[in-house]
Amino acid sequence: MTNQNAHKGTYFEELFCREIAKDPQNMKKIAETFSEFAPKNEKIEFVIREGQYGKKSDVFIRTTGGRNFKASIKSFKGTGFNQVTRMKIEAFVARFSFSDNFKQVLEKSTIRKARNSKTNWISSEDTDFILRELNYNKAFDILKYSLQGENTPKLFVLLKSDSQIIWVYKMEELLEFLRKSINVKITSKGVISLHSCFTIQRKGGNGKREKRNKDDLAHGGNNIQVKMKCESLSEMLDPITVIKYND
């Protein structure tokens, strides 16, 4: 994450902290979603940022009922096509237990794409192999890790900054929705699609910041990137609560 992106992340995490605490009804709706035995008039005891520690959860909420909620926040403008996770090919293959052959195909595809940006990342000759390796279970594991990481936030938040609106979702419901609607395919542009709202692709970019050759696998532009269509996803799920705000 660049310093500019980190600054934006901090701003929107602080904005969410402020806005979620403004109206007690927000916490009431969240608490009741997680338990029918939620204490009446449960309020926020405190809410703090966690995003600075590099976790998938950006905000930590503790309620007067003694319960804890972590929230992962994704801010966007327009329709939003945002990164949700990024790692080197080697780390990606190890994390999701892909084969050495899968790793070799990704490396070959990435080097080819780095040398000629007009070519498809995943070629037609590799499509069948990629689809055999990237099965339903692995696709779900990738989506789950991209959204939850290892510290499993209970809330997923989409913040559309140009419309000044915040949607708060139950992470468990989001993951269940994705689990039921996975559709792995290779697009006409050679991108791996896991779902209508999620893709895997070569990151690209980093030209001005990176001193390595563009076809060096250690080059930041040759990382694996999972991206999310934010607005499309927001239209597919019912949020726990919706918050409209003013800067």
Side-chain angles (χ1 to χ4, degrees):
M1 181 181 287
T2 65
N3 289 337
Q4 183 179 14
N5 286 340
H7 176 74
K8 288 180 180 178
T10 298
Y11 173 79
F12 289 119
E13 287 160 17
E14 291 176 346
L15 187 151
F16 174 75
C17 288
R18 181 189 77 210
E19 295 298 327
I20 195 73
K22 270 186 180 181
D23 185 353
Q25 287 299 310
N26 289 324
M27 198 62 241
K28 183 175 183 293
K29 290 176 182 177
I30 291 171
E32 288 176 349
T33 298
F34 283 88
S35 173
E36 60 183 305
F37 304 109
K40 292 183 178 180
N41 301 318
E42 186 163 4
K43 298 178 181 178
I44 291 175
E45 183 175 340
F46 65 84
V47 53
I48 58 173
R49 290 181 56 240
E50 282 196 321
Q52 66 267 40
Y53 304 117
K55 300 179 179 180
K56 287 293 182 184
S57 58
D58 300 301
V59 168
F60 178 84
I61 302 167
R62 184 171 179 82
T63 72
T64 52
R67 292 191 289 172
N68 301 325
F69 297 90
K70 293 180 179 181
S72 175
I73 300 167
K74 299 300 177 189
S75 62
F76 68 99
K77 289 183 178 181
T79 58
F81 188 42
N82 292 24
Q83 174 181 293
V84 285
T85 204
R86 167 189 171 186
M87 60 186 80
K88 294 182 182 298
I89 291 175
E90 185 175 3
F92 180 80
V93 167
R95 164 67 64 180
F96 302 109
S97 301
F98 285 109
S99 70
D100 286 340
N101 286 341
F102 188 85
K103 176 174 177 285
Q104 291 170 14
V105 169
L106 284 188
E107 289 176 343
K108 176 193 70 174
S109 301
T110 298
I111 291 171
R112 184 183 64 246
K113 181 73 172 175
R115 290 173 177 170
N116 182 359
S117 61
K118 294 181 180 180
T119 64
N120 280 3
W121 180 45
I122 303 299
S123 67
S124 57
E125 66 183 22
D126 292 322
T127 292
D128 289 343
F129 171 76
I130 291 291
L131 294 178
R132 283 197 302 272
E133 286 257 344
L134 213 170
N135 56 36
Y136 170 89
N137 289 332
K138 287 190 185 296
F140 181 67
D141 286 346
I142 292 168
L143 290 173
K144 185 176 182 182
Y145 180 80
S146 297
L147 295 170
Q148 271 198 319
E150 295 174 345
N151 59 323
T152 60
K154 293 181 179 179
L155 301 174
F156 181 72
V157 178
L158 286 173
L159 189 156
K160 185 170 169 58
S161 58
D162 48 350
S163 298
Q164 298 184 318
I165 186 168
I166 301 170
W167 298 274
V168 182
Y169 303 92
K170 190 174 183 179
M171 181 69 81
E172 182 181 350
E173 292 181 354
L174 169 57
L175 292 175
E176 180 63 14
F177 166 74
L178 294 176
R179 187 183 68 79
K180 292 179 178 179
S181 51
I182 286 171
N183 181 23
V184 184
K185 61 183 181 180
I186 308 299
T187 71
S188 60
K189 295 183 179 180
V191 169
I192 301 171
S193 175
L194 303 177
H195 181 275
S196 61
C197 295
F198 290 87
T199 60
I200 303 174
Q201 55 201 76
R202 172 182 174 267
K203 181 184 179 297
N206 281 6
K208 295 181 180 179
R209 303 175 183 277
E210 183 65 75
K211 302 301 181 184
R212 298 180 179 86
N213 292 334
K214 62 182 181 181
D215 59 355
D216 185 337
L217 289 171
H219 187 291
N222 293 325
N223 286 177
I224 295 292
Q225 185 182 43
V226 179
K227 300 195 74 174
M228 174 179 66
K229 296 177 182 177
C230 301
E231 187 166 68
S232 295
L233 187 62
S234 75
E235 295 169 349
M236 294 182 178
L237 294 168
D238 293 327
I240 297 171
T241 188
V242 179
I243 302 169
K244 296 182 178 180
Y245 68 92
N246 294 308
D247 284 334

